[in-house]
Amino acid sequence: MAAEAARPGPAFGPGDSPEGPEADAPERRRKAHGMLKLYYGLSEGEAGGRPSGPDPLDPTDLNGAHFDPEVYLDKLRRECPLPQLMDSETDMVRQIRALDSDMQTLVYENYNKFISATDTIRKMKNDFRKMEDEMDRLATNMAVITDFSARISATLQDHHERITKLAGVHALLRKLQFLFELPSRLTKCVELGAYGQAVRYQGRARAVLQQYQHLPSFRAIQDDCQVITARLAQQLRQRFREGGSGAPEQAECVELLLALGEPAEELCEEFLVHARGRLEEELSALEKELGPSPPAPDVLEFTDRGGSGFVGGLCQVAAAYQELFEAQGPRGGEKLAAFAQELGGCYFELVERRLAQEQGGGDNSLLVRALDRFHRRLRAPGPLLAAAGLTESATEIVERVARERLGYHLQGLQTAFLGCLTDVRQALAAPRLAGKEGPSLAELLASVASSIQSHIKASLAAVHLFTAKEVSFSNKPYFRGEFCSQGVREGLIVGFIRSMCQTAQSFCDSAGEKGGATPPALLLLLSRLCLDYETATISYILTLTDEQFLVQDQSPVTPVSTLCAEARETARRLLTHYVKVQGLVISQMLRKSVETRDWLSTLEPRNVRAVMKRVVEDTTAIDVQVGLLYEEGVRKAQSSDSSKRTFSVYSSSRQQGRYAPSYTPSAPMDTNLLSNIQKLFSERIDVFSPVEFNKVSVLTGIIKISLKTLLECVRLRTFGRFGLQQVQVDCHFLQLYLWRFVADEELVHLLLDEVVASAALRCPDPVPMEPSVVEVICERG
Amino acid sequence: MEDDAPVIYGLEFQARALTPQTAETDAIRFLVGTQSLKYDNQIHIIDFDDENNIINKNVLLHQAGEIWHISASPSDKGVLATCYNKTPDSRVLACAAVWRMPEELESVGHESPDDSASTTQTLELLCQLGSAAPGNVACVTWEPMGDGKKVISLADNHILLWDLQESSNQAVLAGSASLEGKGQLRFTSGRWSPHHNCTQVATANDTTLRGWDTRSMSQIYCIENAHGQLVRDLDFNPNKQYYLASCGDDCKVKFWDTRNVTEPVRTLEEHSHWVWSVRYNHSHDQLVLTGSSDSRVILSNMVSISSEPFGHLVDDDDVSDQEEHHAEEKSKEPLQDNVIATYEEHEDSVYAVDWSSADPWLFASLSYDGRLVINRVPRALKYHILL
């Protein structure tokens, strides 16, 4: 069998080769060959011995698949010479022989293997026969076992059912026992205070009892249970009401009560009532601290206590409530909100009262910290109690306090300003008493200015605390915008500058009557202060403010220029008033001196009257005073020896030109004419004209007022000859000393000329004094 | 509507005293008294012809002395009173007297003699006021509504009520009161109120205003510190009985309600020097005239405190609906106090201003250099008030 199997290779090849020139066929064949070779242990080397070069399709290749003996022979015969043919023939014979022996060996070997395989199969046949017998035996045994087993099951079936039944009965009995024991257990639990356990038992038994309540025994149990449960509920409520055990335990009570099926709404109410009780206790404690009698704890401590006591309590209540009564839906939430709102209102009221007490105090940082705590604490319940609007109310309170603080600071600044003024007044009054040199006006001015500025800065710093980053309310829109622009900038700074101007102006108004109590130096100082504000301080302060409080608000603010204009106007009014007051002082002196003297019977003048010297002295003093605070100012061009020059003009040409005609018959006409012509060429003198901010202008104003008064007074009197001469002397004296103070000395000349002319008119016997004599007297005086 | 230019008249002498001829209601006539120490003083009677804008003058000699104050009798055109200074023996005496003008001058303005006429006529002295009681007379004021028989003179610190008898030939002291106090008190000015049946007089001394009852000669009110400095003049509102105006050296004009003496109703501060004279218009009391030593005359419109605060009220019966509507509208207009005009014709201090007694739209002002200026209320305002 094996030989047959090996044979097909060579037998197959020659028959197939002629019609198999396709490409894949030989490969497939080759593969099969390879596999067979592999099977029979032929080495590749043997196969590899053949020449690899020749075409596998070559029919002349002895080892090729397409070998054609005829073609091969033809080829040999045609190609090879005889010796080679001979060689080929011998070679071929030899090869055939070798192949034959190989074939014989192969067949032999295959035969041997076939025989051994046949032996093996025979042996297996015997074994299987044995095994079949044993299998049969096993099958019978199994049948026997199955039979037995069925028999045992049938026997046990009965027992099993009974056991199952018994187990069921047992469970039922235990349940029943539980039920029967329930009342006593409940009682025990209640006695022991294990309310939770009790409620759990009750909860377990309730449904069953409900179901079987038609059975009298169960009914009894149920009744008992209900009684006990009622007692339990009562006790729970009792405990709940006593309230001493704190919010968590109360919450537990409520939970148990809810589990007992108590009506939730009622519990809600009761819960809130209890919470209210506790919170109100907190509030009353706070109120006690607030008490009518200080020392109350400082405001920080107060808000801390309020925060931890009341607000903390409120938070707990709110949290517990929301947890317990979540099922209540929006209505429960509303109730809670109303509750929180009401209590929050009370709390806010207390806080406000406390803060109101703080209004007078000076420590802003403490207040701000307190407010911060207060506000921060209330932000916690914020999300919980959004509906109650507590956060908004808190913010409002903080805002209100901030506003009041601003008002307080404004007041403080005003007080400080008034205080400065009082100091200045005292300083101005002091030197005369002490008899020594007090601080100069410039020093006073500097001290006032710096003191006000430092007060402003202090206030700004204090107020600035409200907007500090770490403060919880500083990012509220009010503090970002309105507080900065309207509150601080407009309310505090602009308000203060305005009020300062007003205070200063009030000196002008009130002091106008009867001299007033305001020292002129104060007027001068205030005027300079306002002017300084106009030039520098206002813009400095406002820039400072704008920098510190980055104003984001778009609402319109007072521009610097408006304020400056106001300050300038104030300064101008003050200075004008100063001029009026000082002019009035000198005027009064001059008026008294003219009014009280008997000019008709006066003696020939020997001296300048003392009052004129006094006038010059006072004017010099004023000049010095004004010079301390104001710049010199511009004068009209003047010669270095102005007094001399004008004197000559005054006394010789002008004066004589004027008096000469009085000896002629047509005197009155000429005098009038002359004075009128002179007036035609001179400008109208505005006596109380507004002044400029410089020394010369101020002095000019004062001198104008004084001389005009002198003129009017002279016109009301009648002079004798010597009276006229006295006026002449006096006027010349004034001429000598006053020109240096004024902007335009021509003005002094004009006015004094007019005084002398008027005196001449008011004299029935006008004989003027010799100019040289006048000069001598004045120089001597 | 051009306003007429002011009419200017010049006197040779200095002058302070000016008054309208109060009893004259047809012709526009002012009396001016001069001040001269060396020559005979004069009273100029100045007639203004409104039609032709011409001034006629008559001069009367007032030889007694320089005239400081002049006032005309409200009932007799020919009677006037002056306060004047005499300077005998190096002394100044301030006296007051009642005079009568020569007959032919009383009414006839146009038959004036030439300026050069040597026959200048003289006043006839009726009686001296206070020859018995010495004192410097500052002011004489006539009873505004009466028969021209009562006069009050203010001398030093005395207020003297005189009864003129027997066609004013004799003055009998009917009552007096005096001001007592520290220092030397002197009245500077006084006016007789036309209200309350002519029983009230107001006086000024230093900074104080006082009201007096002429029946009992006792003080009825006192406005202390009415002005910061001396009060120069005062005048009563002719239509509102409690209102009076005052002016003084603090350059202010103040309006007072005498029922409230603590605060003035209004204050004007338009002048730049002492205000010497203040006068209400006799018919339209919103028009207030002030003269000051800053050489200006200011006419102010004080509508808000006048008797016609909402303008002239037209009788509803006389106007048609349209006009009525118009009138209502006008009455609702907010009327503001304001300065109507500032007159700068004067070169020297203006010591006296006064309204004409005949024409309510015309006034005169007098400055020290002897210049008399006659002005009119601006036409626009006149029609605004009238219509």
Side-chain angles (χ1 to χ4, degrees), chain A residues 479-557:
Chain A
F479 283 98
R480 288 261 70 90
E482 199 196 333
F483 179 78
C484 290
S485 72
Q486 292 306 314
V488 176
R489 192 184 189 277
E490 291 298 296
L492 188 62
I493 301 301
V494 176
F496 169 66
I497 293 174
R498 287 231 161 101
S499 88
M500 199 178 98
C501 287
Q502 263 166 14
T503 312
Q505 289 214 5
S506 69
F507 286 112
C508 297
D509 300 334
S510 62
E513 315 299 325
K514 207 67 180 175
T518 320
L522 180 62
L523 291 174
L524 193 65
L525 190 133
L526 280 176
S527 155
R528 183 70 221 190
L529 185 68
C530 288
L531 193 65
D532 286 348
Y533 265 73
E534 191 252 332
T535 49
T537 318
I538 287 180
S539 63
Y540 168 70
I541 293 174
L542 284 185
T543 316
L544 191 74
T545 314
D546 289 347
E547 272 169 11
Q548 279 195 14
F549 299 85
L550 289 171
V551 177
Q552 297 167 343
D553 204 8
Q554 293 304 315
S555 59
V557 291

Side-chain angles (χ1 to χ4, degrees), chain B residues 300-313:
Chain B
S300 309
N301 192 4
M302 304 301 292
V303 184
S304 67
I305 52 169
S306 75
S307 57
E308 300 172 354
F310 302 109
H312 188 66
L313 298 174

